[in-house]
């Protein structure tokens, strides 16, 4: 399958590893928008949040377990988890991923959507 993140998982494309286990891989975003910007992904290819169902949600739970482990291991007390699902939301890589963002004071509100039109 021609998927960038599947290639990162199997080592075809290099990445800066942050966390790795049987179900989950996490690595540094190549274009960080904050001092801490990791991508946490299931090793199973799931295209997007909309494709999560009863057959694969267990690996998504593993992703959230990994996030919590990463935060504790790196003493990250406060962070934001972002999932973009679909084109209008800005999903550019069609392999489910959660942006883990920290190290900066973040705002919340309409302006945080960063609307492009
Ligand atoms: P999204 O726009 O939510 O689909 O997020 C995709 C993210 O993948 C973006 O933040 C990109 O900077 C990041 N990205 C793309 N290619 C790579 C790569 N080779 N290694 C690490 N991060 C990448
Ligand atoms: Zn994939």
């Amino acid at each position: 399958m021609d998927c960038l993140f599947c290639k990162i998982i199997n080592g075809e494309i290099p990445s800066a590893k942050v966390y790795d286990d049987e179900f989950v891989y996490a690595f540094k975003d190549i274009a960080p928008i904050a001092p801490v910007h990791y991508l946490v992904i299931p090793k199973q290819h799931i295209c997007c949040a909309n494709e999560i169902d009863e057959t694969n949600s267990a690996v998504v739970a593993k992703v959230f377990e990994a996030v919590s482990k990463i935060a504790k291991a790196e003493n990250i007390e406060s962070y934001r988890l972002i999932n973009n699902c679909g084109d209008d939301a800005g999903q550019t890589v069609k392999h489910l991923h959660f942006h883990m963002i920290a190290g900066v004071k973040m705002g919340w509100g309409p302006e945080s959507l960063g609307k492009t039109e």
Side-chain angles (χ1 to χ4, degrees), residues 1 3 5-6 45 95:
M1 184 188 305
C3 169
F5 287 175
C6 282
H45 180 88
H95 180 126

Side-chain angles (χ1 to χ4, degrees), residues 29-58:
D29 195 293
I30 204 166
I33 63 164
V36 173
H37 187 170
Y38 303 151
L39 297 171
V40 190
I41 68 178
K43 288 189 172 175
Q44 181 179 336
H45 180 88
I46 299 171
C47 84
C48 53
N50 227 19
E51 203 179 72
I52 299 169
D53 61 22
E54 67 280 2
T55 69
N56 59 24
S57 59

